[in-house]
Short mmCIF file of all heavy atoms in Angstrom, two decimals:
data_model
loop_
_atom_site.label_atom_id
_atom_site.label_comp_id
_atom_site.label_asym_id
_atom_site.label_seq_id
_atom_site.Cartn_x
_atom_site.Cartn_y
_atom_site.Cartn_z
N MET A 133 -96.07 -84.61 -48.80
CA MET A 133 -96.45 -85.22 -50.09
C MET A 133 -95.36 -84.99 -51.14
O MET A 133 -95.16 -85.81 -52.03
CB MET A 133 -97.80 -84.66 -50.56
CG MET A 133 -98.97 -85.15 -49.72
SD MET A 133 -100.57 -84.79 -50.48
CE MET A 133 -100.77 -83.07 -50.08
N VAL A 134 -94.66 -83.87 -51.01
CA VAL A 134 -93.55 -83.57 -51.93
C VAL A 134 -92.39 -84.53 -51.65
O VAL A 134 -91.77 -85.07 -52.58
CB VAL A 134 -93.12 -82.09 -51.79
CG1 VAL A 134 -91.84 -81.82 -52.55
CG2 VAL A 134 -94.25 -81.16 -52.26
N GLN A 135 -92.12 -84.72 -50.35
CA GLN A 135 -91.06 -85.64 -49.95
C GLN A 135 -91.27 -87.02 -50.57
O GLN A 135 -90.34 -87.65 -51.09
CB GLN A 135 -91.07 -85.75 -48.41
CG GLN A 135 -90.00 -86.61 -47.81
CD GLN A 135 -88.69 -85.85 -47.69
OE1 GLN A 135 -87.89 -85.85 -48.61
NE2 GLN A 135 -88.49 -85.19 -46.57
N ALA A 136 -92.51 -87.48 -50.52
CA ALA A 136 -92.82 -88.81 -51.06
C ALA A 136 -92.54 -88.86 -52.57
O ALA A 136 -92.00 -89.85 -53.08
CB ALA A 136 -94.29 -89.15 -50.79
N CYS A 137 -92.87 -87.78 -53.25
CA CYS A 137 -92.60 -87.72 -54.71
C CYS A 137 -91.10 -87.75 -54.97
O CYS A 137 -90.63 -88.44 -55.88
CB CYS A 137 -93.22 -86.47 -55.32
SG CYS A 137 -95.02 -86.47 -55.25
N PHE A 138 -90.35 -86.98 -54.19
CA PHE A 138 -88.89 -86.95 -54.38
C PHE A 138 -88.29 -88.35 -54.19
O PHE A 138 -87.43 -88.78 -54.95
CB PHE A 138 -88.24 -85.95 -53.42
CG PHE A 138 -88.47 -84.49 -53.77
CD1 PHE A 138 -88.08 -83.47 -52.91
CD2 PHE A 138 -89.06 -84.13 -54.97
CE1 PHE A 138 -88.28 -82.13 -53.23
CE2 PHE A 138 -89.28 -82.78 -55.30
CZ PHE A 138 -88.88 -81.78 -54.43
N HIS A 139 -88.76 -89.03 -53.16
CA HIS A 139 -88.25 -90.39 -52.93
C HIS A 139 -88.62 -91.32 -54.09
O HIS A 139 -87.83 -92.18 -54.48
CB HIS A 139 -88.78 -90.95 -51.61
CG HIS A 139 -88.09 -90.40 -50.40
ND1 HIS A 139 -86.72 -90.34 -50.30
CD2 HIS A 139 -88.56 -89.88 -49.24
CE1 HIS A 139 -86.39 -89.80 -49.13
NE2 HIS A 139 -87.48 -89.50 -48.48
N ALA A 140 -89.82 -91.14 -54.61
CA ALA A 140 -90.26 -91.99 -55.72
C ALA A 140 -89.38 -91.76 -56.95
O ALA A 140 -88.97 -92.71 -57.63
CB ALA A 140 -91.72 -91.70 -56.04
N TRP A 141 -89.06 -90.49 -57.22
CA TRP A 141 -88.17 -90.21 -58.37
C TRP A 141 -86.77 -90.79 -58.14
O TRP A 141 -86.15 -91.33 -59.05
CB TRP A 141 -88.09 -88.71 -58.63
CG TRP A 141 -89.14 -88.19 -59.57
CD1 TRP A 141 -89.54 -88.75 -60.76
CD2 TRP A 141 -89.94 -86.98 -59.43
NE1 TRP A 141 -90.52 -87.97 -61.35
CE2 TRP A 141 -90.77 -86.89 -60.56
CE3 TRP A 141 -90.00 -85.98 -58.46
CZ2 TRP A 141 -91.67 -85.83 -60.75
CZ3 TRP A 141 -90.89 -84.94 -58.64
CH2 TRP A 141 -91.72 -84.86 -59.77
N HIS A 142 -86.28 -90.67 -56.90
CA HIS A 142 -84.98 -91.28 -56.57
C HIS A 142 -85.01 -92.78 -56.87
O HIS A 142 -84.06 -93.33 -57.42
CB HIS A 142 -84.68 -91.13 -55.06
CG HIS A 142 -84.11 -89.81 -54.68
ND1 HIS A 142 -83.95 -89.43 -53.38
CD2 HIS A 142 -83.65 -88.76 -55.41
CE1 HIS A 142 -83.41 -88.22 -53.31
NE2 HIS A 142 -83.24 -87.78 -54.54
N HIS A 143 -86.09 -93.39 -56.44
CA HIS A 143 -86.20 -94.85 -56.57
C HIS A 143 -86.07 -95.28 -58.04
O HIS A 143 -85.29 -96.19 -58.35
CB HIS A 143 -87.53 -95.33 -55.98
CG HIS A 143 -87.72 -96.81 -56.08
ND1 HIS A 143 -87.09 -97.69 -55.24
CD2 HIS A 143 -88.44 -97.55 -56.96
CE1 HIS A 143 -87.42 -98.92 -55.60
NE2 HIS A 143 -88.24 -98.86 -56.62
N ILE A 144 -86.81 -94.62 -58.91
CA ILE A 144 -86.72 -95.00 -60.34
C ILE A 144 -85.31 -94.72 -60.87
O ILE A 144 -84.74 -95.53 -61.61
CB ILE A 144 -87.72 -94.19 -61.21
CG1 ILE A 144 -89.14 -94.39 -60.72
CG2 ILE A 144 -87.60 -94.61 -62.69
CD1 ILE A 144 -90.15 -93.59 -61.54
#
Side-chain angles (χ1 to χ4, degrees):
Chain A
M133 289 192 281
V134 171
Q135 183 82 271
C137 294
F138 286 172
H139 283 312
W141 271 316
H142 278 171
H143 179 77
I144 303 179

